[in-house]
Structure formats: structure tokens, C-alpha cells
Amino acid sequence: MYNFEFAKAKTIGDAVKALASDDAQALGGGQTLLPTMKQRLAAPTVLVSLNAIPEMIGVCVNDAGEVCIGGATTHAAVAREVAAHYPALAALASHIGDPAVRNRGTIGGSLANNDPSACYPAAVLGSGATVKTNARDIAADDYFLGMFTTALEQGEIITEVRFPVPHKANYQKFVQPASRFALVGVYVAQYAGGVRVAVTGAASDGVFRWAEAEAALSGDFAAGALDALAVPGNDMITDLHGSADYRAHLVKVMTKRAVAAAH
Amino acid sequence: MPKDTGIGARSKRREDVRFLTGRGAYTDDLAMQGQVHAVMVRSTVAHGRIVSIDTSAAAAMPGVLAIFTGEDFVAVGGNPAGWLINSRDGTPMREPKRPVLAHGKVRHVGDAYAAVIAETHEQARDAAEAVAAGTEIEELPAIVDMAAAVANAGNRVHDEIPDNLCFDWGWIEDNRAAVDAAMKAAPHVTTLELVNNRLVPNAMEPRASIGEYNPGTGDYKLTTTSQNPHLTKLLVCAFVLGIPEHKLTVVAPDVGGGFGSKIYHYGEEALVLAAAKKLGRPVRWTADRTESFLTDAHGRDHVTTIEVGATLDGEILAIRTNTLANVGAYLSNFSTATPTFLHGTLMAGPYKVPHVYVNLKAVFTNTAPVDAYRGAGRPEATYSLERAIDKMARELKLDPVAVRRKNLLKPDQFPYTTPVGLVYDIGDYHATLDKALEMADLAGFEARAAKSRAAGKLRGVGLSTWIEACGIAPSHLVGQLGSRVGLYDAATVRVSATGTIQVMTGAHSHGQGHETVFAQVVADKLGVAESAVEIVHGDTSKIPFGMGSYGSRSLAVCGSAMDRALDKIIDKGKKIAAHMLEAAEGDITFENGSFSVAGTDKAKSFGEIAFSAYVPHNYPLETLEPGLEETAFYDPNNFTYPAGAYLCEVEVDPDTGKVTICSFTCADDFGNVMNPMVVEGQVHGGVAQGIGQALVEHTAYDENGQLLTASYMDYTMPRADDLPFYQVDHSCATPCTHNPLGVKGCGEAGAIGSPPAVVNAVIDALHRGGMTQVSHIDMPLTPARVWAAMQA
Ligand SMILES: Cc1cc2nc3c(=O)[nH]c(=O)nc-3n(C[C@H](O)[C@H](O)[C@H](O)COP(=O)(O)OP(=O)(O)OC[C@H]3O[C@@H](n4cnc5c(N)ncnc54)[C@H](O)[C@@H]3O)c2cc1C
């Protein structure tokens, strides 16, 4: 790790100001950023911690019935506090990493990072959530722009994420054996307007919606509705842990399991 | 009644008090007055010619005290291989120099070619980056694949070794023709090609070393993460730096696991000593996790073709193997012994096989050195054999259990001389097999399989009947076979005036529990409380000598030395007692801590005798020296041969290929057991590592020699939820016939016997599920690999 300055913002405004300089960087739980800094692969001169901004921490339900999660809320807090409102989302949070990771890592950090194998992107895209920043609201469909790439501008911070609550939902994660991130993760959510299916871990462009499955499940929300479908291997990742074909196969298996388990 | 103290008791591990309360003292915990920090500058390419190293910018950076490069060590020696192997044609192996720092060429990613010493670790790290920036390395094509390495004479890891071949070994070469003939005549031949996957040891504590030099006395001290401090001392003094042996102390304090990787001497140890001498200040180095992945000696990495010739009813007639064994870029200390005398000599397994021949070519590649890792050679032999025998049974439509029963040696056939040069002294392989089948309720398997089927899963069962050879010995034999060291061990028993006891052991404990178990043996033998005994290890200034801990040798070899020293203590005690009790020495008996005159009630306690030895007021001074301290060296006259039967039951998810271990049963024969709890712990840990190798652990280099699995994001260690609750048993014991405690060793068994049981179980599950086309899957059996095999 190289030396850096440390700023602990108390308000969103303070944080945005502190992040104005080019080589300043936001710090959420540090679960991704700090290991990168230890390896000397990242070298921000100022780290602006978002963990002490009260308006960015916690869970509530707004008038529209959406579950609103502060951008600096930890995975553990989501697992605990969202369980009563949106159990599938809480269950997803409760299986991210290990207790230490869940007690530090934040939803904002995870979404800003947009690791192609991360879990939250599937929930956000699968729920059609809204990513709220200090500057604007971004619809999930406009937010994820490919592996490690998002619609966030330099210095823009995620202050809240708002999830509409579906009738039924479930997340199925088939773990990459070493990291236990998602080798393939599928989030299925059934809303009045239709079913959303979001897939993480599998594709080289990061999280995506599986349109054919959404159409089939919107007609018949049953695992059998997917029987005739197949995911093409073209855009899937091939690496040490699985071929593109294997990932494509798992997408279908996990989608079926998610449908069967949704409640 | 189970005993509550002494031999056979489940005494709690006394070392755990300090480990579990954070009071262990590991090398990196030790702060030295005036210490400075070393950071190694490591190659980022697998193979390259060092064109130039400009250290001037780094030298001018804040806090920098010294910079070393390979040039600084040209005049000193190299780190040698501990075992000289001759090729089939009689020529000695090729042994390139392994310098302290790479010189001329870098040969694997992580190969250190320079080192920076600075006041702080961060300063040293900054300057190390500047050295790297000032270095020009001309990258050469990487040699990664073994077959290509041997085939391509143009591209050389070591310029002086044309075909990248260290040796081409035949065991036993004189038997080759007879084995070929037997194979040719065999009614059935099973052939199997398999890979024994390369493993990264992943000790919890990374390697660390601190060098000290006292200019006032000329004394050096090395504190280091070693399983084998005396060997390190010998190598540093006699081979590498030329320090007179009496001027170097090596201390291996608490060591957080080694699994083989800390047996060896590494360049960083010589570097911190040389730097300490130059600067007159303690110099410390601790590997980070990336360095551990890149530079700790890896394990396994064999590519083997095994053939088993058999009758149609499954009697094994001949076994022949051809193996390429990766030794990596340099020869680590035991890298030449591991694939030969710890592998080829085990290729008969626990079976009565008339003809066995092993050919093994050791190959240099641009990868980290490969050396002994828990089991060392024996897991490779066991895996080849147990996989091939299972395949043979399947091909001949025979029951794999029956095939093993047919070929296992019978209890009345011992001592048994194998066709690969070992003499098994004793064993009952049928007993352990029967025990394992009973414990695992093999009879109930079909019912469990039906349940699995109903849940959409495929269930399978796999067996492995294994044998190993521990406590490599005797020295005169290993000397003939090429060992450059002796393989005895030593212990000193020091009784104090108040009757408490210290035992200085050559064996080093880094997780095995010696401090508890050795004390149990002493307490039992001298009739004192375990708490009156302290085991001292890991400091060459305190211990007579030792060959360290590896190869499941500690209790069998060092424990035997300790037992001999205890005998000497008792003998001397009898002399003292005879004098004090005014009786003839021959009439003194020693039992339960009391010296007594046979047939009388006259007695002296052990404590009284100890006191008298140090306060010799009433003492036979004319004939006996005061004091009560004895040393013994013990050189065994044979290996020990633990053996057992392992049974694994798995479920395979046909949708994803994921394997779940449902149960794992071990029936082991370790001879006499000193502490069942510690033995069970060793088996649990060994099996966990074996399951890790079988299911998840995978070391992958890409074609450029970059280690793809250089962190826990990509290298999978088995976790608790990957593992079942084990059923272990060691009741079918046949005590070793040639050491005083009758012990065989248990440290490696789990890692040796388990991988084939797991793989056999998965293949069985797939066959039962109708996928009879799958005859083999290479380890690790990750979901992706199993699924791919199912699609074939
Ligand atoms: C051992 C381990 C296991 C893990 N397993 C999983 C897993 O199974 N599934 C999974 O999804 N993830 C997993 N993770 C990742 C974990 O969820 C991280 O917490 C997450 O990816 C990053 O969140 P963070 O709060 O720690 O962000 P940080 O590391 O602090 O920051 C990450 C990036 O986001 C930026 N950032 C942080 N907060 C904000 C914000 N509010 N607005 C804008 N930018 C911000 C930072 O500047 C940085 O660029 C694992 C991590 C570890 C270490």
C-alpha cells in the first residue's frame, strides 16, 4: 500500500466535495478497494470514507412500498433488516462472502464496482431497482454498462438503492469454488407487470437480463416453462472455473431452481 | 478403561493453550532491537535473460541501506539437492546451481534476482519497485509443459541442460525386461493415463526469516520458519555461505504449518544472514501471500501412464508406470528423492505383485520448484495404483472389493520383500479393509443410493487400500541410494535435581502436537506426571542434532531416540539406586516411578534418585559421574509401513456436476497409538488435504508461465463445508516390529489414501448413473470437469 490521506465525511455534501479532486476515491467497506491498494494496484491519494454519513446508512420502506437501502449499508445489515420486507434480497445479502466481508462491505461499493461475478447487480437488475446518487436517479436497466463499468461519473456516489418488492423472488448462486463469488447467479422476480430474470457471473459483459426466460415465465411462472429454452454460449466467460458452455448450461439450471424456490 | 495419562491417553494438546490464546510466538512476531527490512525483487516473467540491473535510483531512496543482486553471491555456493539420483544408463542427474539470488537468468515467475534492505518495510518495497524499474530482462519463451520441455532441445531452463531432463530413472532397471514380458503375457492389461495435480502447500503462516550477526563474536543467528532447523544450518554452513557450523544458530520457533514446504532451505534465509553481516543489524523478511504462492515449493505434478496386467479373475501379474515428474526451475532439497525413492518404491502397494517396473523422468520447467508435500511421492503412487486397479475391476466386471481382497498380502506373508526394493515388516491389510467396510456400512449402500436417486442425485462409493513407507531409513541404505544426509534422529533427556524433565528433540513440531505426545511417552516410561516433562525443539543451540519433521518420522525415529535415552536414564538410575539401597544393581527394578529392590519393600522414588544425582552426598562417585542427562541417536533398521483402507461415498448432482462427500471412513493401522486424539486429528487433516486435492485444489500456469492460481480468488482450499464428518479407526493395529515404541507414523496417511477413494467414488456414481463412457476424470474433480466428462 502507498501512503494516502484519509477523510471521513459526515454528510453527502462533504463527501462530494472531498471527492472533487481527481485522485480522490470513495471508500465503502474497503473489501474490494483495500486489497487492491495493498497489492499496489490502486493508489488514490485521498480516501473518502462514506461509512459515517448517517443519511447513507440503513433500510426503510417508502410510500411507494419500495425498500430503500442507504448506499453505505453493509451486507449484514441488509441481511438482517430487509428480511421482513424483501426476503429474497436479504437472503442474497446473507450469502455474500463471509461474516467479516458482510460486516464491512456495502451495497454502494458492490454496485459501484460492478464485478461481473458479484451478487447485488443481479438483484438490482432483476428487481428493476433505482440507483440513487448524489446527482440523479438511474434505472437499473441504464446503470450496468459492462464488466466493472457503470453509468456513474467520476466522483458520483451511490446514496441509496430503491427496490420495488415483487410477489415472488429468489436468487440461486452457483459458486465459483475458490472465491465463492457467483460462477453463475440468477435472480428471478415476479412482478405484476411481468417476470424479470437477471444473470450474473456468466457473461463477459457482466450482469444481463435473459429476455426469453422472462417472456416464458411471464406466461407461465413454472420451471417447466424454461424447458425449451437454451442460453447460447457465445457471450459467456470461459476461465479456469468453467467453460462458456458450462456457464450457459448453469444459467438454465439455476433459473429453473430459482423459479422453483421463489416465494 | 481408557487411560487418562501417559501412553494411549487422550491428553489435551498443551501447545493449544498458547496457540488458542494468541500467545504463540512465530518468526514474524519477534521484534529485534535495531531491525531492518528486506524485500525481494522478483521476476514477473517465467523465463528471461537478465540484461542489466541498475540499482542507483533505488539506492538513493530514503531509508535504503543495501541492495543485493545475484552478482553478490557468485562467489558463494548454491542450495543443493539432498539426494543424488542416477539415470538408467548410470549417469548422474543434472544438478544446476541454485543460487541465493538469480544470476544471468530468471527461471520462474517469483524468482528473486535482487533484494533491498531498508529501515522500514514500506521503504524497502518502494525501492524494490525502483530496482525492478531499473532492470532489463530479455524475455525468453517459457517452458511449462513437461512433454514439450523434453521434446524441445532448443529451449532450455538451464543453458547447460539440453533436454531439460534432470534424470531418467528406472526402478528396478534390471527387472525391466521381465516386467515387459509379464505384461505381454498377461490375459488383460488395463491402461490409465492420469495427472497428479500440482498443489500449493498454503501453510497458514507464510515463510519468514530473521538474520542476526554479532560483530563482537562473529556469531550468526537465523530465526526461520523451518520444519528442519538442523538441515537448514548444515546447508547454509556447508554448502551456501560457508559459515563455520559452530558460529551459526538456527531457531525455528512456533511454526504455523509446513506440510513439507518448510523442510527445505530457501535463498531468503541465506540472504538475511548475508545482509545482517554486511549491516551489523538484524534483517528480517516475511513473505506475503502472493510470494507464498509463487515461491514455496509446490507439491505433486506428475503425468503418469500406468499399466496393470492381470488374469481375467483379477489377480495382478504386473505393474508398469511411466511418469513425467515436474521439478520446476531448480532442484529443491528433496525434489529428486520424492518422485523416486518415495514413489517408485511404493508401486507394489499393499499387494502381492510379482513384477513391477517404474520409469520416471524428472523435468525442469519455468515453474516454481516442486518438492515433498504431505505424503510426498506416496500419494502419487497410491493414486496411480488405486485408480488403475479400480479401472481394471470395472473392465473385468469384477467387484473392486473382491479384487483387492484377492491381491492384498496376507498376515502370514510378512516380512515381505517387494519387487521394488522394500521389506514390509508387518501388517494386516484384510483386517483394515473389513473394518472400513463394516464402519461404512457398505451393506446398506444400495438403500442409500436409492434415496439419492429419488432426490435426483447419483450416489457412488469408492475404495482405496493404501500403504506407505515412513521414517526413511536406515542411513547406510539411503546412502547407497543417493541420499547426501543420514536419516537418524536424536534426543537428549535432561533430568533436573528436582526430578522435572526436559527433552530436547531433533523432531520439530509445527502443528503435530509433539510437546504433548512426547511428554506422554516420557511420563509413562519414567512414572512421572506429564506436567513434569517439557519438550524442547527447534533450536540448534539446545538440541544435540536432528533431521526434522517430515515423512511421518517424528515419533518413529526421534521418539525411538528419546526412548533409548530414557533407557539410559533408567539404567543410570538403577546404579544410583543400588548404591543408595545397598543392593546389587541387578536386583533393582524400576516400575511406576520407583526403583526398588526386588522382593523387598526397599525403594527410592525417581525424584530421590534425581536429587541424589545432583546432590551426590550418598553416591558412587568412584564409578559413576554425577548428573542425570542422556543423549541417544537412533537410526532405524527399516522404514515403517502404515497401511489402511479408506472408503468414500459421494453424491453427484447430474445437473451441475457438483460432488458432495457424504461420508468418509478410514480404518488405519498405525501400530501403537500414543494419543488417539492427536492421531485422529492428523488423519482428519490429512484427509482434508486429500479431499482438497481430489475435488478443489488446482495449480495452473498459463503457456507463458504465469501462475493463474496465485491467490485464494482462484486457488481453492477445502473449507469446512466441503468436508464430511470423518469416521476414523485405528484399532486394527500391528505394532511396528523394529522400533521400541511399535509406532508407524500417521501424519501423511490421510493425504495418501484419500484422493483415489474420492475419485473412484465419483466414477462409480457416474457409472451407476449410466455414464459408463467415463473411465477417468483428472483431479481436481470440480463441478465444471465432472459436468464436461458427463457430456462426453
Ligand atoms: C473474501 C471476499 C468474498 C466476497 N464474496 C462476494 C460474493 O460472494 N458476492 C459478492 O457480490 N461480492 C463479494 N465480495 C465483494 C464484497 O461484496 C465487497 O464488499 C464489494 O464488492 C465492495 O463493497 P465495499 O463496500 O467493500 O467497497 P469498497 O471496496 O470500499 O469500494 C469498491 C469500489 O466502489 C467505490 N465505492 C464504494 N462505495 C461507493 C459508493 N457508495 N458510491 C460510489 N462508489 C463507491 C470505491 O471507490 C471503489 O472503487 C467479496 C469480497 C471479499 C473480500
Side-chain angles (χ1 to χ4, degrees), chain B residues 354-654:
Chain B
H355 296 287
V356 182
Y357 174 76
V358 172
N359 177 251
L360 186 133
K361 298 183 179 69
V363 184
F364 290 105
T365 58
N366 293 121
T367 63
V370 180
D371 206 327
Y373 168 75
R374 200 171 193 166
R378 291 149 290 170
E380 294 90 318
T382 304
Y383 183 66
S384 298
L385 258 183
E386 291 303 298
R387 280 292 301 123
I389 289 174
D390 229 59
K391 183 165 183 256
M392 180 261 274
R394 212 170 282 289
E395 287 171 356
L396 294 173
K397 304 207 165 15
L398 299 170
D399 171 16
V401 176
V403 167
R404 286 176 172 88
R405 278 220 175 90
K406 188 176 204 77
N407 292 285
L408 285 173
L409 285 160
K410 299 191 172 58
D412 61 3
Q413 289 170 325
F414 295 95
Y416 173 74
T417 302
T418 75
V420 271
L422 297 179
V423 182
Y424 299 165
D425 61 337
I426 191 169
D428 188 346
Y429 310 146
H430 294 267
T432 46
L433 175 56
D434 291 341
K435 185 80 193 175
L437 298 178
E438 175 207 313
M439 285 163 68
D441 180 27
L442 190 64
F445 175 81
E446 289 301 340
R448 293 191 293 277
K451 245 188 178 161
S452 298
R453 238 181 343 265
K457 300 281 178 4
L458 310 174
R459 202 178 186 98
V461 60
L463 173 64
S464 149
T465 44
W466 61 273
I467 184 171
E468 61 158 324
C470 299
I472 319 172
S475 291
H476 60 80
L477 175 70
V478 299
Q480 284 166 24
L481 297 178
S483 174
R484 288 165 169 162
V485 292
L487 286 165
Y488 50 85
D489 220 292
T492 295
V493 176
R494 178 179 297 162
V495 182
S496 69
T498 53
T500 64
I501 297 149
Q502 280 180 302
V503 184
M504 277 57 78
T505 64
H508 182 270
S509 187
H510 38 276
Q512 295 87 344
H514 294 178
E515 293 168 31
T516 302
V517 177
F518 280 50
Q520 286 178 254
V521 174
V522 176
D524 210 87
K525 190 128 180 173
L526 295 184
V528 299
E530 286 177 24
S531 58
V533 185
E534 191 73 19
I535 305 299
V536 178
H537 61 97
D539 184 336
T540 62
S541 69
K542 294 180 180 163
I543 291 151
F545 200 73
M547 294 308 299
S549 288
Y550 50 87
S552 308
R553 70 192 297 278
S554 298
L555 198 56
V557 187
C558 188
S560 298
M562 180 177 79
D563 190 81
R564 290 276 174 86
L566 290 169
D567 283 341
K568 294 187 192 180
I569 293 281
I570 293 168
D571 282 351
K572 186 165 180 182
K574 283 182 178 170
K575 291 194 171 76
I576 300 169
H579 178 90
M580 293 174 77
L581 296 168
E582 297 173 341
E585 193 190 325
D587 291 339
I588 304 290
T589 59
F590 180 66
E591 220 176 325
N592 297 327
S594 173
F595 293 90
S596 56
V597 184
T600 75
D601 60 358
K602 291 207 294 181
K604 290 282 174 193
S605 70
F606 182 78
E608 288 174 290
I609 295 299
F611 186 77
S612 172
Y614 288 93
V615 187
H617 295 163
N618 175 17
Y619 195 89
L621 284 169
E622 315 73 43
T623 54
L624 203 63
E625 295 167 6
L628 198 52
E629 171 169 329
E630 297 290 348
T631 294
F633 280 60
Y634 179 82
D635 201 295
N637 62 29
N638 193 354
F639 292 80
T640 65
Y641 300 98
Y646 287 2
L647 213 74
C648 176
E649 242 175 82
V650 299
E651 263 185 2
V652 178
D653 179 346

